[in-house]
Amino acid sequence: MNTRKKLGDLAKTIRSKNAGTDKITFDVIFREKDTYEMVKRAKALTRESVCAVLGVDPARLTDFVEYDPAYAIKFTILRERPSGSAGHGDIFGAQQYAPFLDVEVDLSA
């Protein structure tokens, strides 16, 4: 039996967006408490794993919150340069969430 699923198949919403000119915030939101708790138990999203998925230095991660009332895991990173600066490809920060869709979650944990 396969006990691994992709985060994109488990979460209701995975998104990223601006959090001011210098930050991008991410939300991973679940429909059911049980699924949310399973992902938390599996430690699929931690401060360390988020930085690894994004390929960023841990010093850039400013916030990481497991927000139980909303069945959500939320985190924020500092941008390398301000939104809208020359050569910046994602002004709104809305395209940064994609790597999290394929994060594997071990449901046997």
Side-chain angles (χ1 to χ4, degrees), residues 11-37:
K12 172 178 86 167
T13 303
I14 301 176
R15 66 183 176 207
S16 60
K17 59 189 174 186
N18 274 346
T21 57
D22 297 326
K23 295 180 181 179
I24 298 174
T25 194
F26 297 78
D27 302 310
V28 181
I29 305 167
F30 300 88
R31 287 188 203 296
E32 308 88 17
K33 180 179 181 176
D34 291 344
T35 305
Y36 167 68
E37 293 294 339

Side-chain angles (χ1 to χ4, degrees), residues 42-96:
K43 301 204 180 296
L45 293 177
T46 63
R47 295 182 72 85
E48 296 78 17
S49 71
V50 163
C51 292
V53 168
L54 293 172
V56 300
D57 186 295
R60 287 183 51 202
L61 184 68
T62 62
D63 301 283
F64 182 91
V65 176
E66 293 171 336
Y67 188 62
D68 295 344
Y71 312 143
I73 300 171
K74 304 167 79 60
F75 44 94
T76 304
I77 61 167
L78 291 170
R79 289 179 174 270
E80 288 183 313
R81 55 181 169 238
S83 174
S85 61
H88 198 278
D90 186 9
I91 293 173
F92 300 110
Q95 299 174 25
Q96 304 305 309

